[in-house]
C-alpha cells in the first residue's frame, strides 16, 4: 500500500522533478499557464504562497485521487524580491547584490487534494562569501541561470564555491522543501 497518493507535479523545473524522484514519489508532470503576478503590499512569504496557490487553482478540483503539487521559490534580500533575471546583465547585477551578504530563499507550496488546498512554506537563510566579478561572469556565462530565482542554483558552481553557510533546508534552496512536502503528503493518506 502506498503511503502517499500519486502526485501531479505542476512544474517544469528539472530540480523539483529530480527531488521527487529521489524521494521515491510516484508523479507525473502536468503544466498549465498561470499568471504569476501578485497584489502590491504582500510580504515575500505571502508572495510565494499566493503564486503557489494560483498555480494550484489552475487545475480542476476534481483531479481524482491524485495530489496536485505546486511551488514557487523566491529569493529576497532586504525585503526586495529577486525573481528570475531577464538578461545576462540582470543576472550579474543580482549576484553582485547577493555577494558577501545574507539573503532569504522562500518556497511556497500548495497541495490540492480532493478539493482542498493545503498551503505552507519554508524559509532558508543563505550567506554568500564575497564573489569576484570574474567568478560571477564565469558562472552566468557557463550556467545561463535565467530560469532561476535570484540568478543561481545552489547545486551548481556558484553554490559550491560561494555559499559559506545556510540556515534551514538545503532542498528548499534547490526549489522544494522535501521534508515538509513529504510530511504533508503523508498526512493526506491518513
Amino acid at each position: 500500500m502506498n503511503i502517499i497518493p500519486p502526485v501531479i507535479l505542476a512544474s517544469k523545473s528539472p530540480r523539483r522533478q529530480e527531488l521527487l524522484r529521489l524521494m521515491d514519489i510516484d508523479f507525473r508532470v502536468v503544466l498549465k499557464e498561470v499568471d504569476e503576478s501578485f497584489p502590491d503590499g504582500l510580504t515575500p512569504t505571502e508572495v510565494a504562497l499566493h503564486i503557489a496557490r494560483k498555480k494550484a487553482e489552475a487545475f480542476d478540483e476534481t483531479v481524482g485521487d491524485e495530489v496536485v503539487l505546486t511551488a514557487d521559490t523566491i529569493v529576497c534580500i532586504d525585503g526586495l524580491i529577486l525573481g528570475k533575471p531577464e538578461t545576462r546583465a540582470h543576472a550579474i547585477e543580482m549576484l553582485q547584490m547577493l555577494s558577501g551578504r545574507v539573503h532569504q530563499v522562500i518556497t511556497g507550496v500548495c497541495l490540492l487534494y480532493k478539493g482542498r488546498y493545503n498551503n505552507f512554506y519554508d524559509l532558508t537563510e543563505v550567506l554568500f562569501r564575497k564573489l569576484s566579478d570574474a567568478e560571477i561572469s564565469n558562472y552566468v556565462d557557463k550556467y545561463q541561470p535565467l530560469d532561476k530565482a535570484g540568478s543561481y542554483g545552489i547545486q551548481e558552481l556558484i553554490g559550491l564555491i560561494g555559499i559559506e553557510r545556510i540556515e534551514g533546508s538545503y532542498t528548499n534552496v534547490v526549489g522544494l522543501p522535501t521534508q515538509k512536502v513529504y510530511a504533508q503528503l503523508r498526512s493526506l493518506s491518513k
Side-chain angles (χ1 to χ4, degrees), residues 14-182:
R15 293 161 295 281
R16 288 188 183 123
Q17 293 171 29
E18 179 64 15
L19 288 171
L20 286 183
R21 273 192 287 280
L22 290 170
M23 294 167 65
D24 287 332
I25 292 177
D26 179 28
F27 74 96
R28 63 189 177 101
V29 175
V30 178
L31 303 176
K32 302 225 180 197
E33 284 296 316
V34 176
D35 170 21
E36 294 189 18
S37 63
F38 51 89
D40 290 337
L42 296 180
T43 66
T45 298
E46 291 168 337
V47 168
L49 289 168
H50 176 81
I51 295 172
R53 171 80 182 232
K54 277 178 80 171
K55 290 176 180 180
E57 288 171 349
F59 286 79
D60 182 13
E61 292 185 0
T62 57
V63 290
D65 289 333
E66 292 175 295
V67 179
V68 176
L69 188 162
T70 62
D72 190 68
T73 300
I74 62 170
V75 171
C76 62
I77 188 164
D78 299 331
L80 175 67
I81 295 172
L82 304 181
K84 296 174 184 173
E86 297 168 11
T87 63
R88 176 187 184 275
H90 192 207
I92 289 171
E93 179 185 336
M94 283 188 193
L95 289 170
Q96 288 171 334
M97 188 181 304
L98 298 175
S99 176
R101 303 189 54 210
V102 173
H103 64 275
Q104 294 76 40
V105 178
I106 303 165
T107 301
V109 179
C110 186
L111 302 177
L112 169 60
Y113 186 56
K114 297 185 177 180
R116 299 186 70 182
Y117 295 91
N118 178 10
N119 280 68
F120 56 95
Y121 75 94
D122 204 0
L123 183 149
T124 304
E125 291 206 333
V126 180
L127 170 63
F128 267 110
R129 69 168 171 79
K130 186 72 176 153
L131 300 165
S132 72
D133 289 343
E135 288 168 329
I136 291 171
S137 293
N138 176 56
Y139 170 72
V140 170
D141 291 341
K142 185 171 183 179
Y143 289 88
Q144 304 289 312
L146 301 184
D147 66 334
K148 295 174 179 70
S151 303
Y152 79 92
I154 191 171
Q155 72 283 0
E156 296 173 343
L157 173 68
I158 204 80
L160 299 175
I161 67 167
I163 293 177
E164 285 188 3
R165 182 178 72 244
I166 69 169
E167 286 187 32
S169 168
Y170 168 82
T171 62
N172 182 55
V173 183
V174 176
L176 198 64
T178 54
Q179 187 279 328
K180 284 187 176 183
V181 168
Y182 183 78

